[in-house]
Amino acid sequence: MKKLKFLALCAMAAGVVTSCQKDEITNDEQPVSLELSKDLQDKIWAAGVNPGNATIENVTLLNGIEEQYLVSGDIMMKLAEIEKGSYDLGVAEDGLTKQYRTNNLVSSSNRTIDILGFTGSGNALTSNMQTGLQWAVNNYNRISTTLNFRLTFGTNFQAADMVVYNNNGSGAGGQAEFPEGGRPGKFIQILNGTGTFGGSNVNNVNEHVIGHEIGHALGFRHTDYARRRCDNSNEGTAGSIGAINIPGTPTANQWGQSGLDSGSLMISCFDGSEDGEFSNFDIVALEFLY
């Protein structure tokens, strides 16, 4: 996977092990600098993503198709769609921090979601990842929404609406795509180190990470996107661009954390102590949207 570093004035700290985005993925090629046009940087901001320390990566997915993605933390966005201005991730109403969504949601006709835990050679989920995926899906199916996840384990990813697989990257965490065209983000990559992260709490950690990435694939932003708990960086609102507040969830000024739902599944960071469950306000947000 070739990685092209952005040259941008805006800075967002790269994830560390405690980030549920990702660690640096091991790769044999040295990063190549790519100077971005002002137009492309503006489109990245308009998509709700801070271009600082984001990367352009050539990602070969399970279907064998290689595409260029903008990767920022645990979010993957197709570069071609950004260049066309296709992403419209929303405008915040008041600049406050609560649960947030994008404008890219799953349409009412696509809410029975066939989700596959991939077990094929080379990208198979570990046993702990499989347990975490099962627990995460149970959590989504347990609450009162119009979403219905049908989980199977196997290799027929072509037929699935959402595919969770081990991308063999170093560190712990994952990456996901936002919904597109009314369908959920299809490919969810889990870093190999997630399978052993958290010691005796490893299954809960995998439940948390995978549940979190499924949240992105349904259209959720990070609860603390305006000031990430782990590094205090702003993920990319460009003032008011980038997220829509979900009614009924708690607020906090974006430069303070007094009202932050710190137990939210969609918090940007994790440290291995997570229980993998939704907070009460996560449930409020899911039931409001779906």
Side-chain angles (χ1 to χ4, degrees), residues 33-273:
S33 294
L34 176 68
E35 187 159 5
L36 299 179
S37 67
K38 177 66 162 56
D39 178 64
L40 182 55
Q41 290 190 42
D42 288 345
K43 287 175 179 175
I44 293 168
W45 271 119
V49 176
N50 187 330
N53 272 359
T55 58
I56 297 174
E57 300 183 10
N58 293 327
V59 179
T60 301
L61 301 171
L62 288 177
N63 56 13
I65 296 175
E66 182 178 276
E67 293 195 55
Q68 281 196 325
Y69 281 86
L70 169 73
V71 178
S72 178
D74 61 343
I75 301 301
M76 295 169 51
M77 303 169 70
K78 293 177 182 175
L79 186 62
E81 298 302 313
I82 291 176
E83 289 175 330
K84 290 191 296 186
S86 300
Y87 287 104
D88 178 10
L89 303 187
V91 179
E93 296 168 359
D94 58 10
L96 301 179
T97 301
K98 30 175 151 174
Q99 271 80 343
Y100 289 88
R101 69 172 177 90
T102 71
N103 272 333
N104 299 21
L105 297 177
V106 178
S107 66
S108 59
S109 60
N110 293 313
R111 291 184 182 173
T112 294
I113 298 172
D114 288 310
I115 182 168
L116 178 76
F118 191 74
T119 58
S121 176
N123 294 102
L125 297 176
T126 68
S127 59
N128 289 333
M129 291 175 184
Q130 291 184 40
T131 298
L133 172 57
Q134 180 68 72
W135 290 2
V137 167
N138 290 347
N139 289 340
Y140 279 97
N141 282 337
R142 190 176 294 123
I143 62 177
S144 179
T145 70
T146 56
L147 296 169
N148 176 32
F149 285 90
R150 301 188 299 201
L151 174 63
T152 58
F153 291 93
T155 60
N156 187 16
F157 63 86
Q158 295 92 340
D161 301 304
M162 194 180 289
V163 182
V164 184
Y165 66 99
N166 183 347
N167 76 349
N168 297 308
S170 62
Q175 296 172 326
E177 302 175 283
F178 286 131
E180 185 177 346
R183 304 190 66 83
K186 178 159 185 170
F187 291 106
I188 294 177
Q189 303 184 47
I190 303 302
L191 300 182
N192 190 55
T194 313
T196 56
F197 192 78
S200 61
N201 195 44
V202 63
N203 287 332
N204 284 324
V205 171
N206 279 264
E207 176 188 16
H208 175 92
V209 170
I210 295 173
H212 176 106
E213 301 306 336
I214 290 173
H216 285 314
L218 295 174
F220 283 87
R221 294 291 306 265
H222 289 142
T223 303
D224 59 342
Y225 87 93
R227 188 178 183 184
R228 287 162 47 95
R229 185 174 63 181
C230 48
D231 56 25
N232 288 331
S233 67
N234 186 311
E235 289 186 349
T237 64
S240 62
I241 299 174
I244 299 172
N245 297 333
I246 300 174
T249 59
T251 62
N253 185 279
Q254 65 175 352
W255 304 119
Q257 300 291 298
S258 60
L260 180 66
D261 181 13
S262 60
S264 171
L265 188 74
M266 297 309 299
I267 289 287
S268 62
C269 309
F270 70 100
D271 60 13
S273 64

